[in-house]
Amino acid sequence: MIATTETTRPAVLDEAHVGDIRGALGTIRVDDTGARRGLSAKLKTLLAIVGPGLIVMVGDNDAGAFATYGQAGQNYGTHLLWTLLLLVPVLYVNQEMVLRLGAVTGVGHARLILERFGKFWGAFSVLDLFLLNALTLVTEFIGITLATGYLGLPKIASVVVAGVIIVASAFTGSFRRFERIAITLCAASLLLVPIYFLAHPSTSDMLAGFVIPTLPGGAGGLSTVMLLIIGIVGTTVAPWQLFFQQSYVIDKRITPRFIRYEKVDLWLGIAIVIIGAAAMMGLAAAAFAGTGGFGNFGDAAGIAHGLATRADKLAGVLFAIALLDASIIGAFAVSLSTAYAIGDVLGMKHSLHRGVRGAKGFYAVYAALVAAAAAIVLIPGSPLGLVTEGVQTLAGVLLPSATVFLLLLCNDNEVLGPWVNGRRTNLFTAAVVGVLVILSIVLTASVLFPDITAGTILDIMGGCAAIGVLAGGFVAFRRKGTAQLIDRSGRAHWRMPALDTLARPAMSAARRIGMSALRGYLLIAMILVVVKLVGVALSR
């Protein structure tokens, strides 16, 4: 096992990623190595650490989430609330692995993929992230226009002002100032709670929706419900989250000794995102129950109008403000995710601790993304609905590959040493990957063949599940008796050495076949989806 020492060259790519932790709610000096004894000391440490998990989770309840959760509530009431509980362990396991990678390695997700799996996958990970994030950012500005339009504000001015705020908040040259702005916006996301109570949803229906899994719509509507469930998964577990949290943990200078506190931060973010998602489903269900709007979702602004009619005008206004807030948080996170990844791969300075002059390329990427997304939204006749559809589809296609690389990196002894995954984490994550692949295939098929039947969807899922069970059984048989105990000693201070000192990972025949199959599936699926979307755009 590799062991770092005081003389070992560190792996961090930007020296600004080393130093005091200067969080929004506290500071931890780099030479503060004392044990945290007592509740007060532990609470102060937690407050200084809070940020990465909270922002990445709340940022995921963005404009796209408002549309997806709102559609679930307006079209199916509280019947799909159970999906949120199933996603909790998936969210935690995925993001826990990412924060562990960030704290232990000091290197971003895209750069690790480049170094450990070669230039193709490194370039692929950045290019698909760039494309997907650019489209996702457009959906955030769509959310901004819907929110400000409901509030009676002019479209052009609203988009320009929002863009300036998003850019200016990151251009302060202070990590702490940015995080304070972001956490303030995260706190504002709790507006959904009073809106929920203003809508007066049925408590019994909410509880039943959480604990009794149902697929509303009957056999004839199963395909539509399945697509929405896939949309909920893609909205709640997005590829950009992996890249963002790992880089943000690094930029905040969090080290392995604070991983326990960062896990609490992550749980806080998960709790808020699930509360927000459930509130959106519940308030949308209450706003349209027994009305002609039930089952006829249009967009998030339609929910605001429904709330104003069913509850009162205040509820509609607050919902529009919450949508605006969510869109801005999402824009922060998605833009930073891309800027961090490109800075990592290209070797540019990439830290919010630096001013614009100290990291010109990093800030240029961030600002260019925001400006491009704002411009697209303002172009008359832009196929904004198609963009939203494309984002959900591509996210569903790419998510399995992102999780596969995450799992491989977290089993790389050279990268994580005593922090590598345990057997239970691997088994759970492998099962998650299998489910995500099945959902990705179903989503791709439904986009290419809009008239696909419920029976065909079930056949696809059953066939994929059978293949997955056989593949899992084969892998388990091959590894039977080869499992080794992991030496966890000294891990509180273990850090990954410089990347160029690590031995290249061995590529077994099984891994090469698996990687090739994944590469082929991704390329074919992406090409087919893009061709389909372009065809739809040209036909309109």
Side-chain angles (χ1 to χ4, degrees):
M1 180 178 293
I2 298 173
T4 57
T5 66
E6 293 182 359
T7 59
T8 299
R9 185 157 52 91
V12 292
L13 303 176
D14 187 333
E15 59 269 23
H17 294 158
V18 179
D20 298 342
I21 296 175
R22 299 171 185 167
L25 305 177
T27 299
I28 302 175
R29 294 179 58 85
V30 69
D31 57 359
D32 179 3
T33 59
R36 268 55 184 173
R37 303 187 187 279
L39 182 61
S40 177
K42 292 178 180 178
L43 181 58
K44 288 180 180 178
T45 302
L46 176 61
L47 289 174
I49 295 298
V50 162
L54 178 64
I55 295 170
V56 74
M57 287 290 97
V58 178
D60 200 43
N61 262 1
D62 58 358
F66 268 63
T68 303
Y69 300 139
Q71 181 180 0
Q74 183 174 341
N75 288 359
Y76 300 105
T78 59
H79 291 292
L80 295 179
L81 280 169
W82 57 272
T83 60
L84 300 179
L85 292 184
L86 293 181
L87 288 174
V88 170
V90 177
L91 282 172
Y92 177 75
V93 170
N94 269 14
Q95 295 304 130
E96 187 277 333
M97 287 193 289
V98 167
L99 73 87
R100 192 169 5 119
L101 278 171
V104 175
T105 69
V107 176
H109 204 64
R111 184 58 177 266
L112 283 179
I113 293 174
L114 173 69
E115 296 290 340
R116 306 305 286 168
F117 302 104
K119 293 181 179 179
F120 173 86
W121 287 112
F124 186 88
S125 67
V126 172
L127 289 175
D128 69 37
L129 180 74
F130 186 87
L131 173 62
L132 186 57
N133 282 7
L135 293 173
T136 302
L137 195 55
V138 172
T139 68
E140 309 299 357
F141 275 94
I142 293 173
I144 289 170
T145 61
L146 291 174
T148 55
Y150 178 84
L151 296 172
L153 301 175
K155 180 177 179 179
I156 295 178
S158 298
V159 169
V160 171
V161 170
V164 170
I165 291 173
I166 293 166
V167 171
S169 297
F171 276 50
T172 63
S174 166
F175 184 96
R176 169 170 286 171
R177 279 195 289 270
F178 171 82
E179 187 166 85
R180 283 177 173 169
I181 294 170
I183 288 182
T184 299
L185 292 172
C186 288
S189 71
L190 293 174
L191 270 175
L192 288 167
V193 175
I195 301 170
Y196 170 85
F197 287 108
L198 285 172
H200 302 294
S202 168
T203 301
S204 60
D205 287 347
M206 292 290 293
L207 291 175
F210 271 119
V211 300
I212 303 175
T214 57
L215 291 174
L222 180 60
S223 59
T224 302
V225 175
M226 283 301 304
L227 290 181
L228 183 55
I229 291 175
I230 294 169
I232 292 172
V233 174
T235 296
T236 312
V237 188
W240 67 261
Q241 291 175 290
L242 309 181
F243 292 83
F244 173 83
Q245 175 150 313
Q246 185 165 332
S247 291
Y248 196 82
V249 163
I250 294 166
D251 205 5
K252 190 159 184 177
R253 302 165 175 171
I254 292 173
T255 57
R257 66 187 295 251
F258 297 114
I259 283 181
R260 287 185 306 159
Y261 294 94
E262 183 50 41
K263 289 181 180 180
V264 176
D265 172 42
L266 177 58
W267 275 118
L268 177 62
I270 291 173
I272 292 177
V273 79
I274 295 299
I275 289 171
M280 277 188 272
M281 285 192 192
L283 64 87
F288 294 97
T291 71
F294 186 81
N296 295 296
F297 175 79
D299 55 37
I303 296 177
H305 286 289
L307 285 168
T309 302
R310 192 67 177 261
D312 56 39
K313 291 183 179 180
L314 176 61
V317 170
L318 290 178
F319 185 83
I321 294 173
L323 173 58
L324 178 61
D325 174 77
S327 300
I328 292 176
I329 298 174
F332 277 157
V334 170
S335 301
L336 271 178
S337 171
T338 312
Y340 277 138
I342 292 178
D344 244 351
V345 172
L346 298 183
M348 301 186 302
K349 303 297 182 184
H350 52 295
S351 173
L352 290 171
H353 290 284
R354 296 182 177 276
V356 177
R357 292 184 179 180
K360 295 177 182 178
F362 170 71
Y363 287 106
V365 171
Y366 181 94
L369 275 171
V370 174
I376 290 172
V377 169
L378 293 177
I379 296 174
S382 297
L384 301 182
L386 194 63
V387 170
T388 302
E389 180 183 353
V391 167
Q392 293 176 336
T393 304
L394 288 175
V397 169
L398 297 173
L399 183 57
S401 70
T403 307
V404 166
F405 284 114
L406 176 59
L407 183 60
L408 292 175
L409 287 172
C410 284
N411 281 279
D412 191 330
N413 286 316
E414 296 282 324
V415 170
L416 282 185
W419 288 97
V420 294
N421 280 357
R423 186 170 181 270
R424 286 181 297 179
T425 301
N426 283 333
L427 288 174
F428 179 81
T429 309
V432 169
V433 169
V435 173
L436 291 176
V437 168
I438 293 173
L439 294 178
S440 173
I441 293 172
V442 170
L443 182 59
T444 304
S446 65
V447 171
L448 296 175
F449 310 103
D451 298 326
I452 190 171
T453 64
T456 303
I457 288 179
L458 292 176
D459 288 342
I460 292 174
M461 295 179 69
C464 290
I467 294 173
V469 169
L470 291 174
F474 175 74
V475 172
F477 177 78
R478 287 286 302 273
R479 293 185 176 181
K480 186 177 180 179
T482 62
Q484 299 179 351
L485 293 177
I486 302 169
D487 182 6
R488 305 287 190 186
S489 61
R491 68 175 186 169
H493 303 285
W494 196 94
R495 300 296 301 275
M496 185 184 78
L499 284 167
D500 58 8
T501 67
L502 304 184
R504 298 290 295 179
M507 292 291 287
S508 64
R511 177 172 291 190
R512 289 183 184 277
I513 293 172
M515 296 282 283
S516 298
L518 177 62
R519 178 187 301 184
Y521 165 71
L522 288 174
L523 289 176
I524 293 172
M526 287 185 66
I527 291 172
L528 291 175
V529 169
V530 170
V531 169
K532 178 66 176 181
L533 293 175
V534 171
V536 172
L538 294 176
S539 65
R540 291 183 177 178

